[in-house]
Amino acid sequence: MDFTLSEEQLMIQQAAKDFAQNELLPGVIERDETQKFPSELCRKMGELGFLGMMVNEQYGGSGLDTLSYVLAMEELSKVDASASVMVSVNNSLVCWGLENFGTEAQKQKYLTRLASGEIIGAFCLSEPEAGSDATSQKTTAIDKGDHYLLNGTKNWITNGGSAEVYLVIAQTHVEKGHKGINALIVEKDMKGFEIGPKENKLGIRGSDTHSLLFNDVKVPKENRIGEDGFGFKFAMKTLAGGRIGIAAQALGIAAGAYELALKYSKERKAFGTEISNHQAIAFKLADMHTKIQAARNLVYQAAFDKDTGKDYTLSGAMAKLYASEVAMETAIEAVQIHGGNGFVKEYHVERFMRDAKITQIYEGTSEIQKIVISRSILKD
Ligand SMILES: Cc1cc2nc3c(=O)[nH]c(=O)nc-3n(C[C@H](O)[C@H](O)[C@H](O)COP(=O)(O)OP(=O)(O)OC[C@H]3O[C@@H](n4cnc5c(N)ncnc54)[C@H](O)[C@@H]3O)c2cc1C
């Protein structure tokens, strides 16, 4: 497989790298400590086209391929995974879902503003009792003729407090199970919609994670995405692509931690020589480098499958499963290579270690990825 990057892809990669180094890096430790959502940086990323990367230019997007998107995600995540998850949700889940399944009116009204970064969106599937088992939706959207009456609670929603537009999955026909689920576009100021408290998290602390409460929210019928009952399929199709973004995020976390560890190992001396001269450290770096390259190949393969119209369910799940494992392992080893300094915030690697964990949990845990992978390889 030839993954030689085009001039345009190299340019996007460089632009993301520059933005990460110049804009994200300076305040990243403070945002992590204070759990501050970077709204100003978010606006700048919108201006640079990072929030609607794959959306057609006619709807205000950048019209790029998935590979360009994962290149940008990797570079942003090398510095700040809290900023990159916001980018990932807006691109992969919200914009992609609307562009592929929304009506023309929905695209004109919402997608154009989301893709240009004027506003950001959130994707709301998980509930207190429906995470991995997303079919157990308790949130209801009862058909009232010209509108749905939405009631329920969503949990751990990324961009929860800062979004303007929310794609909400809810059960309309309980008796039909997952075939009775709908996806609705909810606006922040709709009556009865309340944003719950911000979660106090282990990692990606600069990202804005909230529970959401819906109490008799009237959502107009024209805000339903797709046919009646399409909501569960919508969520699964959207998440299949979302995994590629999270895999790229995990890759970036791994690569960012590795780069810091490599640099440190050539500067820090112990027993009269740089620690990189000790084989125990050199071999850790060798393992990290090898696994990161393997993860990168899987992520690129998944992006390539998506860009060439192939089924990317299996390749996306493999990329997310493996890249998130590599992120976790690499970040732990990066802390070890830094010794005591690895435990201190200024050296960044402890943050990578905390941030890496979420990539094994959201948009399908590692166990769920293994279910997707095993089903796919066993089906024939
Ligand atoms: C920071 C953060 C941001 C998030 N952002 C969003 C968002 O924007 N939108 C959204 O909708 N959700 C979001 N989530 C929710 C996330 O997707 C869920 O937490 C995740 O899917 C797991 O669901 P759960 O927490 O209910 O765990 P559970 O489903 O309760 O799983 C608990 C454990 O059991 C395992 N398990 C469950 N079922 C099986 C099975 N069949 N076989 C083997 N093992 C199994 C799981 O792998 C896990 O280890 C976010 C979560 C966090 C923490």
Side-chain angles (χ1 to χ4, degrees):
M1 196 71 57
D2 180 12
F3 288 132
T4 309
L5 301 180
S6 68
E7 260 184 43
E8 190 183 47
Q9 288 163 339
L10 287 168
M11 234 172 60
I12 310 281
Q13 189 180 41
Q14 190 61 46
K17 188 179 180 144
D18 291 344
F19 183 81
Q21 291 298 326
N22 301 332
E23 303 276 353
L24 294 179
L25 186 58
V28 67
I29 293 173
E30 191 200 336
R31 291 194 298 277
D32 175 65
E33 268 179 17
T34 57
Q35 293 218 99
K36 190 170 162 237
F37 179 74
S39 38
E40 179 56 18
L41 294 169
C42 174
R43 191 190 56 73
K44 285 188 186 169
M45 285 195 282
E47 280 170 12
L48 288 169
F50 289 134
L51 295 184
M53 294 190 72
M54 294 169 288
V55 175
N56 196 301
E57 281 146 315
Q58 82 177 102
Y59 298 115
S62 305
L64 296 165
D65 57 7
T66 314
L67 189 51
S68 301
Y69 165 57
V70 303
L71 292 169
M73 277 297 296
E74 180 181 346
E75 292 305 323
L76 299 174
S77 309
K78 274 185 188 176
V79 174
D80 187 353
S82 295
S84 75
V85 68
M86 189 268 293
V87 171
S88 178
V89 166
N90 205 65
N91 275 285
S92 305
L93 302 184
V94 181
C95 287
W96 190 86
L98 275 174
E99 184 168 26
N100 283 278
F101 304 110
T103 62
E104 188 54 32
Q106 290 168 350
K107 290 181 202 177
Q108 293 298 343
K109 186 169 179 189
Y110 300 110
L111 181 60
T112 47
R113 298 173 66 209
L114 288 159
S116 64
E118 184 190 328
I119 56 171
I120 58 168
F123 180 85
C124 317
L125 173 67
S126 303
E127 299 185 356
E129 288 169 70
S132 303
D133 181 8
T135 53
S136 305
Q137 293 288 308
K138 298 278 186 297
T139 299
T140 52
I142 304 304
D143 191 335
K144 294 282 179 186
D146 65 343
H147 67 271
Y148 289 100
L149 202 60
L150 186 64
N151 278 289
T153 304
K154 293 289 173 183
N155 257 24
W156 313 291
I157 303 303
T158 302
N159 301 342
S162 38
E164 295 289 329
V165 169
Y166 299 76
L167 307 189
V168 181
I169 311 298
Q171 189 82 46
T172 297
H173 313 280
V174 181
E175 71 291 354
K176 289 190 185 166
H178 73 275
K179 291 188 176 155
I181 290 174
N182 277 314
L184 305 177
I185 305 170
V186 175
E187 295 177 21
K188 187 175 217 160
D189 54 9
M190 282 180 176
K191 197 163 170 272
F193 175 24
E194 198 186 316
I195 295 164
K198 190 169 181 156
E199 300 292 352
N200 187 4
K201 307 192 296 288
L202 169 77
I204 56 164
R205 288 171 54 82
S207 89
D208 189 35
T209 317
H210 288 256
S211 53
L212 305 175
L213 294 89
F214 305 97
N215 188 10
D216 283 342
V217 181
K218 281 185 181 177
V219 185
K221 266 275 168 73
E222 65 260 27
N223 281 24
R224 188 185 71 212
I225 302 173
E227 294 297 303
D228 186 25
F230 179 65
F232 188 70
K233 259 195 179 164
F234 170 80
M236 292 304 111
K237 282 177 183 286
T238 307
L239 283 170
R243 280 174 195 141
I244 303 175
I246 300 304
Q249 180 189 45
L251 172 63
I253 293 172
Y258 163 76
E259 285 173 14
L260 290 175
L262 181 68
K263 184 167 175 286
Y264 188 83
S265 74
K266 292 198 254 182
E267 291 164 1
R268 177 76 176 175
K269 288 192 176 150
F271 298 94
T273 186
E274 289 77 18
I275 58 169
S276 58
N277 290 328
H278 298 301
Q279 197 182 56
I281 299 296
F283 278 15
K284 278 190 200 300
L285 291 165
D287 280 341
M288 289 155 95
H289 185 70
T290 306
K291 288 178 184 178
I292 289 168
Q293 192 51 44
R296 189 173 285 116
N297 287 349
L298 283 174
V299 175
Y300 284 14
Q301 176 72 56
F304 175 82
D305 286 350
K306 185 159 174 282
D307 286 335
T308 50
K310 298 196 180 77
D311 187 350
Y312 50 88
T313 315
L314 175 61
S315 54
M318 290 196 302
K320 181 181 183 280
L321 173 68
Y322 188 69
S324 60
E325 275 176 9
V326 172
M328 201 63 245
E329 275 179 46
T330 305
I332 290 173
E333 290 294 51
V335 172
Q336 191 67 18
I337 290 172
H338 278 74
N341 282 332
F343 216 64
V344 173
K345 291 195 187 285
E346 289 97 284
Y347 285 82
H348 297 281
V349 284
E350 63 82 36
R351 189 183 70 257
F352 283 110
M353 191 177 92
R354 288 184 286 108
D355 287 354
K357 188 61 206 166
I358 191 60
T359 65
Q360 295 181 308
I361 297 174
Y362 57 19
E363 298 200 26
T365 62
S366 293
E367 290 77 13
I368 296 302
Q369 303 311 321
K370 287 184 192 179
I371 292 176
V372 173
I373 295 165
S374 56
R375 272 194 195 140
S376 179
I377 58 182
L378 290 169
K379 74 174 181 232
D380 298 325

